[in-house]
Amino acid sequence: MHPLNWAIVVAYLLYVVIDGLRAAKGTKEIEGYFLANRSLPWWAVGLSVMATQLSAVTMIGTTGQGATDGMRFVQFYFGLPIAMVILGVTIVPFLHGAKVFTAYEFLERRFDAKTRSLTSFLFLVSRGMSCGTIIAAPAVVFSAIFGWPLPWCVALIGVPTVIYTMIGGVQAVTWADVKQMFLISGSLIAIIIVLLVKLPVSPDNALRIAGSVGRMTPFDFSFNLSETYTFWSGILGGTFLMLSYFGTDQSQVQRYLTARSIPEARSSLLMSAYWKIPLQALILLIGVLVFVFYLFQAPPLLWNPAHDRSVRETRPAAYAQLESRYGDAIARRTDAALRLSDTPRSDASAALAAEGFRESEARVTAIRDEALVAAGEVTGESARDVNYIMPRFVLDHLPLGLAGFFIAAVLAAAMSSIAAELNSLSTATVIDFYRRWVRPEASDTHYLNVSKAATGVWGIFACVVATYAATLGSLIEVVNRFGSFFYGSILGVFILAMIRRATARGAFVGLLSGMACVGAVSFGLPQISFLWHNLIGAAVVVLVGLALGGNPGESSPART
Amino acid sequence: MSTHAGAPTSAPTSAPPSTDQSPPEDSARFRRNLVKVMSMQVVALLALWWLQARYAS
């Protein structure tokens, strides 16, 4: 990469750390460190919610998914606006009004200490692990592209984030998120402009070419439980996933607990709901345009440069032959794409031109599949290289300076998600465990120091996990799948908390039953997509909880 | 420098501990925002539908 691009990346990293240290000056008490004294404006909280959800996985994984699979992933987010509205009128008023530090603290007030501790513990386990995978996603890509050792890349992302989160607390996290969101949006818009300028066909024809090979199909109405991304899994499963994530995951709850008031907390969620589907559609559309761009520019046979080197060195003759066949297939595909673009839509030969393009695309895909199999055999790693498409495009084809901004934006996206998670992991550790069970009486200064230490320890843990999570397959799915084991069941407990007849025993047994049921479904019926696990978990917890609940007006067992 | 009493801070209750006490103007603002959000979703879904109708083969 050009030194100017590196200068932009280094300048960004220094700015984030210095800005975080500046934010630390106003943080002297634990409420300021964890909740910014509940003083942040709704728009800052809303941007922070969006930035936290928009991770590096979104920047490199979702665009790659758009390039290879088209627009259908957008259905995953169809439930988000519905979930935000439901949360705005249900959980947000309860949590914000209860003046709690963590969502799980609320469960002790409603039920008992063991329900609080178990839900908080599940959060710590799942978020601690997922934080590692969020660091791993860009670290693996940077390592392969720049040829650096993986631990260096993990440190490049992890160390500045841990520093500003540890010292600045939620103030630093939120205001860094706001700036990072602008950087991310700016770089996405710049990429779209570059793509539109560089494409040799009109945008209309570009989308027509992409559509002819199934990349312009954002809706799939088939009711298929084994298909992850359908309209119904997005609306039903996605709503429950988003309800669980935004309603019960401390990394999200803590964002809106920093808002000045309940209406401001609600508005911050609605802001996120407002932009989410258009933003995700735009990111996928960038991927689709990158696919079209590479119809007219020779793409590499393997997007992962490390795998490319390995296969080239280990099987030089076979790989050269594959590359030769690939080159021919690419040339034929380019001709077919131009023919389709030049054929008017109303022309009788349009269907024939589309069919010709589909056949040429199938040939290219078949040769690439052979190369991926070889890469898997040679390296012993997952050969899936979707996450490398966007970085390769950026580094090979973006104008000078813009590549640096994109790399900085990927770092920004990673840091905003990691910072929020580290901050929330520290909050749950200190509030739900240390202050609750170890040291109930201590000064604010003591808790503040313990909180900073906890942030640092979780940061180190996440970096270690990231180093070992590197060989996982599709990271975007791993992160979501991991959460789905617990999310639905925890949501079920929060739903029970709002039902008068629910009792502490019902909530606790329901939680265990929900997780057991999701585990059984996950391993016993693996064909059921993970998006449905949230709905199953929540439903089982509520049903069991209500079955074990007392009559209306009856006291909770914990009170007797 | 304040100190914090250890949790549990209050006894478990059988009813939810808090409800929304927002003033009417806040509720009105929430409703207005809600309408904006849902309108945006309808526009986004229609735009996606149009993309599929025009470009999907």
Side-chain angles (χ1 to χ4, degrees), chain A residues 359-424:
Chain A
E359 280 171 13
S360 66
E361 167 66 8
R363 269 195 298 275
V364 168
T365 306
I367 298 169
R368 242 182 65 72
D369 286 345
E370 284 181 52
L372 288 171
V373 169
E377 286 169 0
V378 167
T379 62
E381 297 171 0
S382 165
R384 211 177 130 90
D385 57 359
V386 169
N387 293 346
Y388 296 84
I389 298 173
M390 199 62 196
R392 288 292 295 269
F393 165 75
V394 163
L395 293 176
D396 296 343
H397 298 288
L398 282 197
L400 185 62
L402 212 50
F405 273 110
F406 180 81
I407 299 294
V410 172
L411 288 173
M415 288 171 155
S416 59
S417 305
I418 298 158
E421 302 211 344
L422 290 180
N423 192 240
S424 60

Side-chain angles (χ1 to χ4, degrees), chain A residues 94 110-111 204 219 266 445, chain B residues 1 12-13 18 20 52 55:
Chain A
F94 281 116
R110 174 66 180 89
F111 295 127
D204 183 55
F219 294 96
R266 284 168 156 176
T445 309
Chain B
M1 206 175 294
T13 54
S18 174
D20 187 7
Q52 179 157 333
Y55 296 110

Side-chain angles (χ1 to χ4, degrees), chain A residues 2 70 86 92 101 107 153 191 196 199 219-220 231 260 275 304 344 364 381 405 415 448 458 471 482 488 495 539 545:
Chain A
H2 193 279
I86 294 172
V92 171
F101 279 86
L107 291 180
C153 298
I191 287 173
L196 291 177
L199 278 178
F219 294 96
D220 174 0
F231 179 82
R260 286 177 189 146
W275 288 112
N304 182 335
V364 168
E381 297 171 0
F405 273 110
M415 288 171 155
L448 194 59
W458 276 114
T471 50
F482 202 81
I495 294 172

Side-chain angles (χ1 to χ4, degrees), chain A residues 49-68:
Chain A
V49 168
M50 288 172 72
T52 304
Q53 238 231 333
L54 207 154
S55 69
V57 178
T58 316
M59 296 288 283
I60 56 178
T62 307
T63 45
Q65 204 153 359
T68 56

